[in-house]
Amino acid sequence: MRTRRRFALGAIAALWLATISTTATAAPVATDPYESARVFWSEHGVSEQIQQSLVDKLNESGTIDAISQDAEPVSVENRRVAGAEVTVATFEDGSITVTSFESPDPVPEGSIASRAVYGNCQVTSGSGWASYKNCEVVSDAGVYRIGFKVTYERYATMNAKILSSGSEQ
């Protein structure tokens, strides 16, 4: 009988110790649900003060100007970065949308070169035209990101023609 009782007490003590140590190590860790948005905004020069006002606005209304179809940007900056045309639109509340359109430079006329490939985007060109295949278009506002692939042609007359679009081509 004593052996059983000692065994039962030992098992209870072991279970109690395991519970305490598990509870101590499994304490909840506070995480910021907007951490990835804050990283995105920081990478694009949005101040911490504006970031906090955007988080407050998201918590209050569920939206910011960058994701509102009714808001117009107060400034737009266009630049070319590593084979892509990038547009940064800034809105009245300080939110931003960064849109990237993968568009590698065509092979210069009169030169011989293999097909140019940037990421997954391939470009083939001839006299007065260029064909782009499987190029990525992405729009990112920090709290959402949307993208798709597109195949299109550009002509010297400044016209363009979308041949296909979708998630994969």
Side-chain angles (χ1 to χ4, degrees), residues 111-136:
S111 64
I112 298 173
S114 61
R115 182 181 294 188
V117 179
Y118 296 81
N120 291 321
C121 186
Q122 300 174 342
V123 61
T124 306
S125 62
S127 181
W129 66 275
S131 177
Y132 300 82
K133 182 178 181 187
N134 208 31
C135 299
E136 188 175 47

Side-chain angles (χ1 to χ4, degrees), residues 13-37:
L15 183 60
W16 180 74
L17 285 173
T19 303
I20 288 176
S21 65
T22 303
T23 305
T25 58
V29 177
T31 59
D32 180 1
Y34 297 105
E35 183 177 350
S36 63

Side-chain angles (χ1 to χ4, degrees), residues 18-165:
T19 303
I20 288 176
S21 65
T22 303
T23 305
T25 58
V29 177
T31 59
D32 180 1
Y34 297 105
E35 183 177 350
S36 63
R38 289 179 190 273
V39 169
F40 170 82
W41 291 328
S42 293
E43 288 173 351
H44 294 283
V46 177
S47 72
E48 287 185 21
Q49 180 182 359
I50 291 175
Q51 289 180 34
Q52 189 56 51
S53 77
L54 294 173
V55 167
D56 293 342
K57 188 173 180 181
L58 281 164
N59 287 329
E60 290 170 15
S61 68
T63 190
I64 53 177
D65 290 353
I67 60 175
S68 170
Q69 67 182 16
D70 298 326
E72 293 289 329
V74 293
S75 70
V76 176
E77 175 193 344
N78 295 305
R79 60 180 182 252
R80 187 143 180 85
V81 179
E85 296 171 19
V86 177
T87 301
V88 180
T90 304
F91 295 84
E92 189 174 330
D93 64 359
S95 61
I96 61 170
T97 299
V98 179
T99 304
S100 174
F101 186 78
E102 194 174 25
S103 179
D105 296 323
V107 177
E109 193 173 324
S111 64
I112 298 173
S114 61
R115 182 181 294 188
V117 179
Y118 296 81
N120 291 321
C121 186
Q122 300 174 342
V123 61
T124 306
S125 62
S127 181
W129 66 275
S131 177
Y132 300 82
K133 182 178 181 187
N134 208 31
C135 299
E136 188 175 47
V137 179
V138 176
S139 184
D140 194 340
V143 292
Y144 81 88
R145 179 182 171 96
I146 186 169
F148 59 93
K149 302 279 187 177
V150 65
T151 295
Y152 64 100
E153 291 180 347
R154 283 187 174 173
Y155 307 99
T157 58
M158 299 303 289
N159 293 326
K161 179 178 173 182
I162 296 175
L163 303 175
S164 66
S165 64

